[in-house]
Amino acid sequence: MTNLATKRETFLKDYQPSAFVIEKFDVEFDLSPEKTLVTSHLLVHRLDKTSQHLFLDGKQLKLISIVLEEKVPKFSQDDDGLHIFNVPEVFSLKIVTEINPAANTELTGLYISNNIFCTQCEAEYFRKITFFLDRPDVMTFYQVKIIADKQAYPVLLSNGDLVEEGDLPDGKHFAVWSDPFKKPCYLFALVAGDLAKITDYFVTMSDRRVTLNIFSEKQNIERCGFAMLSLKKSMRWDEENYGREYDLNIFNIVAVNDFIFGAMENKSLNIFNAKYILANPETATDQDYADVDTVVAHEYFHNWSGNRVTCRDWFQLSLKEGFTVFREQSYDEDNNSAVVHRIRKVQDLRNGQFAEDAGPMAHPVQPKSYVAIDNFYTRTIYNKGGEVVRMLKTILGADVFRQATDRYFEKFDGQAVTTNDFVDVMEEVSKRDLSQFRLWYSQAGTPVVNATGAYDSLNKIYTLTMEQIVPPTADMQNKQPMLIPIVTSLLRKIRGDTAVALVEPEKTVLLESNLQSFIFDNIEADVIPSLNRHFSAPIKLNFSYTEDELLFLFKYDTDGFNRCDAGQRLASKIILEGMTDEHYSHAIGEILRQPFSDLSMQTELLQLPSEKYLHESVEMINVDKISTARWQLFLSNAMQHEAAWLKLYESLVSNENAYSPEEMGRRRLQAICLHHLVALNKKPYIDLAVKQFKAASNMTDSIAALSALSHTDTLERVEALAQFQDRWQHEPLVMNKWFMIQAQSRLPDTLENVQRLMQQPFFHLKNPNNVYALIGGFCSSNMLNFHHVSGEGYHFSAECVLTLDVINPMVSARIVECLLAWQRFAAPRKDLMQKALTRIISAPNLSKNVYEPVSKALDMEEHHVRS
Ligand code: BES
Ligand code: ZN
């Protein structure tokens, strides 16, 4: 088959319900690394009177035998699966297949990670395990028997309850697991290995006692305790905030080293990338702790938003992912500084999703077509999808939103549904017309809202006028105006510049048309509007604030998010438009000296906009100019307040290693002080970093010091890196931080260093975490060096993409993202990036995972074979 013919597009409009249902599924695994036998028993029911042709999905499977009701049916096998002809209305099928988990480097289907058998079936990889109707709307009951060597694989796990276990001849043993809930096959999981576990209990709101286990490799089991606390906290949170109770008597989590993503929500058997389970102060940073908490919560929340109510087809992915991201973010806001959490999530959205929405892969929250579904686990589906749910809550109000989610879970429990069904329930319960709101699901692109304000002193009226533009994207030129909830309040200076009055308390303005005015009356004097507070809508909002107004908002806005945002706008003006930094710098000085109760918030206010954020604020990206101007402002902030940074730094020194919002805030603030000081490149500050590095009793302080040093061309940097390596060489998760720090260095020889590190024995191309840290760290986080004008960074990324594509297409597709926005870079970079993309697409046997984004980026529409 040619390269192109396999790159078919799947369309939402072509959805058809399955003509067959699977009433029951019994499967037996006889595990062995090179040769695993899978014996599957299906009870099939044909719904459609006309179709006697059953097609079962199957990939890379060796068919051993097939029997339909005692007889060999008429069948044929091709690259995509098995055709069975002349099937009756109700029948049993017994299919035996053989697979080779040891040879599986794609880390999908059944594979082996450090001698642990594990699975990853979402989205369409159950078909690499056995022939099946591999689609989420085909749900059935599973009974799974696992047979394996007892010594090598003492722990045997699958979904649901353990119903039987015992010994077998030849040193083997078996376990039978039965899941009482119907599920789609993407939620199937199996684990077998020599694992240690920790156990705890959770008593649910209706007094059921649930056993909780976390499994990991033996040497890591001491580091699983924090994840267990997060699991219990998440279980309670979902009961209290959504009325959702856990539904089985057992919940298992397994941590493995080789995993493409963060984690997977398989029913009652979540499988995690070890990075998101293991945490102790010596080896994990505060960010790692926060990530563990988030991912554990996210996967747990899927038990309702995803598993009990699942997706009809993969175009509905945001139904479970967007909603679960929103739930996970609400949980995080409840457990941390809420405003800082929001600020950081919006940064992610602006840096990542806005870029996606402006690039060749732009797609709506509910896409209309895809080539590789793997490529649609995007920031749009996840983060914009989460924002869409957040907007629904803002529009409906917390109480009605909760009634609506209750109704959603009740109405669709056990079903596979659509994003439309979700909005239908919101409509039904709120009795609001949400038809215009649905455009958030079908129109791609980040809406731009241009706002202006006018004060009429005679009538004491303030008029806010807003215009919205939904930009064209590759999939759609002309768009309709969206329904945009813009939380607004009006502020005024009182007594000079020392305090703020909330002239108009927060209210949600609904922008519905292309152009619309909102009138506020009884306004005694001119005001400054604070718009899109808390980032109530995922839009680009323009208001031509004067420098004075931005400074005012930066100092006094009563919404922490907008306060911080005003600082980012000011800094952007200095960096991009060359505005002088005198007043901004003065404001930074004040923030440094003011007492703050929330030190994380103080840190955010001191932070400059990231290079990525700045890239997103301009049409044509001038990498050097942005990078240099930003660095200049950073240095200028450091120089002008040298004494204040030092004083603040010294006031924060402590030996406290606890992970709590307060301590985390202290460490964050201390780190930003150190970064500024070290940037001054003076011996005493380099020594200060070395001192912190040596004295650190937690990974956060150690990494902060190392990363500050990593940009300096000093012997101290070299020594610290060597010491770190010496100490952590045998801790893969820790070494990823070491890779990442070096990959992100501003030093000119960074690419050479990255290439050298790739040759180290503790770097493994087959391990996704290693790839994301070192190659991803360089290609997507080191703007300065990746985009070096020589084009060597682009060349390097293309090499990596091609090498990785053979090992693991999904990992490769993540790396290729760094080249996709080529058209937005000024020459010569643009041409060099295009050249790298052309080189990739000319490679023979390119995976569809990489082919799809690259072909879209090069605008080679004609290469898609429409079928
Ligand atoms: N269902 C996904 C895992 C997944 C991702 C399966 C991509 C197939 C393809 C899981 O619930 C998930 O979303 N995990 C995230 C972490 C989460 C905190 C956003 C991940 O793995 O990055
Ligand atoms: Zn998820």
Side-chain angles (χ1 to χ4, degrees):
M1 200 172 297
T2 73
N3 199 3
L4 299 180
T6 55
K7 315 255 188 308
R8 284 174 312 229
E9 237 176 317
T10 306
F11 291 89
L12 168 61
K13 64 174 167 42
D14 295 340
Y15 173 82
Q16 293 283 336
S18 174
F20 295 87
V21 290
I22 300 172
E23 306 280 356
K24 174 131 191 46
F25 177 57
D26 274 12
V27 62
E28 184 181 301
F29 289 84
D30 197 342
L31 294 177
S32 156
E34 266 105 53
K35 184 176 168 179
T36 287
L37 280 181
V38 184
T39 305
S40 124
H41 300 264
L42 299 149
L43 183 59
V44 185
H45 187 155
R46 170 157 63 86
L47 298 173
D48 187 329
K49 293 272 172 282
T50 57
S51 141
Q52 294 193 327
H53 169 189
L54 170 64
F55 176 74
L56 296 176
D57 303 291
K59 283 259 181 203
Q60 306 168 26
L61 295 174
K62 181 168 167 193
L63 178 65
I64 304 293
S65 66
I66 172 166
V67 175
L68 189 154
E69 295 283 334
E70 250 98 277
K71 286 206 279 291
V72 178
K74 188 163 171 271
F75 74 94
S76 72
Q77 188 182 353
D78 63 26
D79 280 352
D80 294 322
L82 196 61
H83 300 263
I84 308 170
F85 304 100
N86 306 326
V87 300
E89 214 175 299
V90 180
F91 55 97
S92 68
L93 265 180
K94 178 181 171 192
I95 305 176
V96 183
T97 47
E98 186 190 310
I99 47 184
N100 182 350
N104 183 346
T105 60
E106 295 169 354
L107 313 184
T108 52
L110 179 66
Y111 66 96
I112 300 179
S113 170
N114 274 23
N115 210 31
I116 300 163
F117 281 93
C118 61
T119 53
Q120 171 55 40
C121 297
E122 187 179 0
E124 299 182 330
Y125 293 107
F126 190 70
R127 63 187 64 181
K128 282 175 63 181
I129 294 176
T130 183
F131 293 102
F132 208 75
L133 291 170
D134 188 353
R135 44 187 288 170
D137 59 347
V138 171
M139 300 168 75
T140 190
F141 296 105
Y142 286 64
Q143 173 145 315
V144 181
K145 180 170 183 178
I146 310 167
I147 301 170
D149 183 85
K150 188 170 181 174
Q151 213 192 339
Y153 311 104
V155 176
L156 306 175
L157 304 170
S158 189
N159 318 86
D161 300 309
L162 178 66
V163 291
E164 207 189 329
E165 61 185 331
D167 289 339
L168 294 168
D170 305 324
K172 290 190 172 188
H173 71 148
F174 76 95
V176 180
W177 292 82
S178 174
D179 186 349
F181 290 94
K182 269 192 174 186
K183 65 168 172 288
C185 63
Y186 82 87
L187 291 174
F188 165 82
L190 175 155
V191 171
D194 191 2
L195 296 160
K197 75 167 172 186
I198 58 168
T199 299
D200 206 333
Y201 300 92
F202 179 81
V203 179
T204 70
M205 60 202 238
S206 70
D207 256 350
R208 269 187 317 98
R209 189 176 141 104
V210 182
T211 302
L212 313 175
N213 297 311
I214 300 183
F215 296 85
S216 78
E217 287 177 13
K218 292 198 167 119
Q219 73 272 18
N220 292 331
I221 198 66
E222 306 295 326
R223 287 193 249 166
C224 296
F226 179 76
M228 183 65 91
L229 293 177
S230 289
L231 176 59
K232 292 192 286 182
K233 216 162 49 159
S234 311
M235 295 177 90
R236 192 62 75 208
W237 190 91
D238 214 14
E239 292 184 345
E240 288 170 356
N241 293 278
Y242 282 85
R244 299 298 108 199
E245 186 178 7
Y246 186 61
D247 51 11
L248 277 158
N249 298 323
I250 186 163
F251 189 88
N252 292 319
I253 288 178
V254 181
V256 298
N257 293 336
D258 303 284
F259 199 77
I260 309 180
F261 323 106
M264 177 64 210
E265 72 266 24
N266 317 300
K267 184 78 186 185
S268 75
L269 178 51
N270 286 187
I271 299 180
F272 272 65
N273 184 330
K275 177 173 165 38
Y276 298 108
I277 288 294
L278 307 181
N280 67 4
E282 289 82 65
T283 58
T285 59
D286 290 337
Q287 189 57 51
D288 292 328
Y289 273 90
D291 290 346
V292 167
D293 197 22
T294 300
V295 184
V296 168
H298 177 101
E299 305 310 337
Y300 174 72
F301 295 156
H302 269 314
N303 190 52
W304 276 96
S305 49
N307 301 3
R308 289 288 289 257
V309 181
T310 197
C311 303
R312 187 192 73 175
D313 53 71
W314 294 117
F315 295 101
Q316 319 303 327
L317 184 56
S318 198
L319 176 80
K320 76 176 177 82
E321 295 301 347
F323 188 21
T324 303
V325 163
F326 173 68
R327 278 150 54 69
E328 150 229 312
Q329 290 185 359
S330 310
Y331 165 89
D332 280 342
E333 284 171 22
D334 285 355
N335 291 309
N336 295 284
S337 165
V339 56
V340 171
H341 186 267
R342 183 70 184 140
I343 289 168
R344 299 187 134 218
K345 286 293 139 182
V346 174
Q347 277 166 7
D348 288 352
L349 189 85
R350 284 171 164 168
N351 293 190
Q353 199 279 326
F354 279 18
E356 193 169 275
D357 241 350
M361 283 289 284
H363 57 278
V365 171
Q366 184 189 61
K368 292 172 183 66
S369 78
Y370 56 76
V371 174
I373 182 56
D374 301 332
N375 289 334
F376 283 79
Y377 286 75
T378 59
R379 299 171 183 95
T380 299
I381 303 293
Y382 276 69
N383 302 80
K384 189 174 184 178
E387 294 300 320
V388 170
V389 177
R390 183 182 294 264
M391 285 190 283
L392 280 170
K393 181 171 175 182
T394 302
I395 294 170
L396 268 56
D399 293 343
V400 177
F401 179 74
R402 169 63 196 273
Q403 287 164 30
T405 58
D406 284 354
R407 174 83 184 118
Y408 168 75
F409 289 122
E410 176 202 32
K411 182 169 177 183
F412 296 118
D413 190 9
Q415 296 180 45
V417 303
T418 64
T419 51
N420 243 326
D421 291 322
F422 184 81
V423 184
D424 283 349
V425 169
M426 297 285 145
E427 249 180 359
E428 173 197 321
V429 173
S430 68
K431 302 186 179 66
R432 268 172 183 272
D433 177 1
L434 294 172
S435 39
Q436 189 188 7
F437 185 84
R438 288 175 205 259
L439 293 169
W440 282 105
Y441 288 92
S442 59
Q443 290 189 158
T446 307
V448 177
V449 173
N450 298 316
T452 53
Y455 180 60
D456 169 355
S457 55
L458 208 60
N459 299 303
K460 307 223 173 304
I461 285 175
Y462 184 79
T463 308
L464 193 60
T465 302
M466 295 197 265
E467 169 201 38
Q468 64 164 302
I469 300 154
V470 191
T473 40
D475 62 333
M476 201 191 272
Q477 287 307 305
N478 297 312
K479 309 219 169 136
Q480 292 167 38
M482 323 261 267
L483 178 67
I484 307 179
I486 300 182
V487 175
T488 301
S489 64
L490 303 179
L491 309 176
R492 177 189 314 136
K493 295 182 207 185
I494 48 175
R495 275 177 272 123
D497 183 283
T498 53
V500 59
L502 204 60
V503 175
E504 186 67 38
E506 222 169 73
K507 78 168 176 215
T508 306
V509 163
L510 293 177
L511 177 60
E512 298 168 317
S513 344
N514 286 321
L515 188 66
Q516 208 174 337
S517 286
F518 302 90
I519 296 192
F520 298 81
D521 36 41
N522 298 320
I523 306 292
E524 293 300 324
D526 202 0
V527 290
I528 302 169
S530 170
L531 302 167
N532 208 32
R533 288 160 77 88
H534 332 291
F535 202 69
S536 58
I539 57 171
K540 292 185 181 171
L541 187 125
N542 300 316
F543 186 95
S544 39
Y545 291 111
T546 63
E547 187 187 351
D548 272 355
E549 288 170 335
L550 283 177
L551 279 163
F552 172 79
L553 293 171
F554 188 35
K555 289 181 191 166
Y556 303 117
D557 199 320
T558 49
D559 172 46
F561 175 83
N562 268 5
R563 182 176 171 194
C564 190
D565 206 44
Q568 302 278 300
R569 283 172 194 250
L570 273 170
S572 300
K573 273 178 184 284
I574 298 165
I575 296 167
L576 300 170
E577 297 164 21
M579 190 181 87
T580 62
D581 69 356
E582 195 186 327
H583 299 290
Y584 174 72
S585 172
H586 182 79
I588 291 290
E590 282 182 4
I591 292 166
L592 278 170
R593 287 175 195 93
Q594 264 163 27
F596 272 79
S597 58
D598 180 349
L599 303 187
S600 288
M601 182 62 186
Q602 190 175 5
T603 312
E604 285 312 323
L605 293 169
L606 294 168
Q607 209 99 50
L608 290 185
S610 69
E611 287 184 38
K612 279 202 184 142
Y613 172 91
L614 294 163
H615 288 185
E616 280 326 294
S617 332
V618 296
E619 286 279 311
M620 223 18 166
I621 303 169
N622 187 330
V623 182
D624 296 327
K625 192 174 148 236
I626 288 178
S627 193
T628 312
R630 183 185 181 277
W631 182 246
Q632 281 311 320
L633 182 58
F634 186 79
L635 283 180
S636 146
N637 278 343
M639 265 178 313
Q640 294 188 42
H641 306 291
E642 186 173 339
W645 289 109
L646 183 60
K647 188 166 170 226
L648 185 55
Y649 177 89
E650 284 170 342
S651 75
L652 294 165
V653 174
S654 148
N655 290 320
E656 182 56 75
N657 292 326
Y659 173 76
S660 65
E662 295 72 30
E663 290 303 319
M664 189 162 94
R666 181 183 59 73
R667 286 187 287 264
R668 243 186 219 174
L669 187 56
Q670 206 188 347
I672 197 177
C673 292
L674 186 65
H675 266 103
H676 281 83
L677 293 168
V678 170
L680 293 172
N681 213 5
K682 293 185 183 170
K683 182 81 169 102
Y685 300 138
I686 306 274
D687 290 345
L688 192 63
V690 171
K691 188 174 152 207
Q692 171 167 329
F693 179 72
K694 292 202 166 134
S697 51
N698 62 72
M699 187 51 79
T700 308
D701 290 343
S702 167
I703 286 292
L706 194 62
S707 79
L709 287 171
S710 73
H711 305 290
T712 69
D713 194 3
T714 57
L715 198 60
E716 285 84 349
R717 172 187 62 100
V718 179
E719 280 171 6
L721 284 167
Q723 269 179 35
F724 194 93
Q725 174 186 352
D726 230 40
R727 165 121 198 245
W728 300 112
Q729 182 120 221
H730 302 292
E731 287 289 349
L733 292 179
V734 180
M735 287 309 279
N736 287 328
K737 302 177 200 306
W738 186 81
F739 285 137
M740 176 78 95
I741 282 181
Q742 297 184 72
Q744 293 178 344
S745 169
R746 296 181 63 87
L747 293 179
D749 61 348
T750 296
L751 176 56
E752 279 162 49
N753 190 37
V754 167
Q755 285 170 316
R756 197 177 52 78
L757 292 173
M758 284 174 70
Q759 306 308 320
Q760 298 291 315
F762 44 86
F763 178 84
H764 305 280
L765 266 180
K766 288 185 183 171
N767 178 266
N769 291 346
N770 278 181
V771 172
Y772 301 146
L774 188 58
I775 302 175
F778 180 78
C779 298
S780 43
S781 309
N782 194 334
M783 295 296 117
L784 182 65
N785 283 311
F786 172 67
H787 289 285
H788 189 272
V789 69
S790 64
E792 59 189 22
Y794 307 145
H795 184 80
F796 168 73
S797 66
E799 293 268 293
C800 291
V801 165
L802 292 174
T803 312
L804 287 165
D805 198 44
V806 180
I807 299 170
N808 193 321
M810 274 197 254
V811 172
S812 184
R814 277 214 192 171
I815 300 299
V816 85
E817 280 181 22
C818 64
L819 291 167
L820 301 182
W822 65 281
Q823 305 206 34
R824 292 188 49 217
F825 290 83
R829 291 184 172 83
K830 181 178 175 167
D831 309 315
L832 294 165
M833 290 173 89
Q834 186 190 25
K835 219 173 101 196
L837 286 166
T838 309
R839 171 144 174 263
I840 293 171
I841 203 135
S842 331
N845 304 317
L846 198 64
S847 70
K848 61 178 179 176
N849 303 64
V850 172
Y851 175 85
E852 180 173 28
V854 176
S855 66
K856 282 184 179 159
L858 290 170
D859 200 23
M860 292 164 65
E861 273 304 308
E862 65 278 11
H863 280 227
H864 293 281
V865 177
R866 299 186 189 276
S867 61

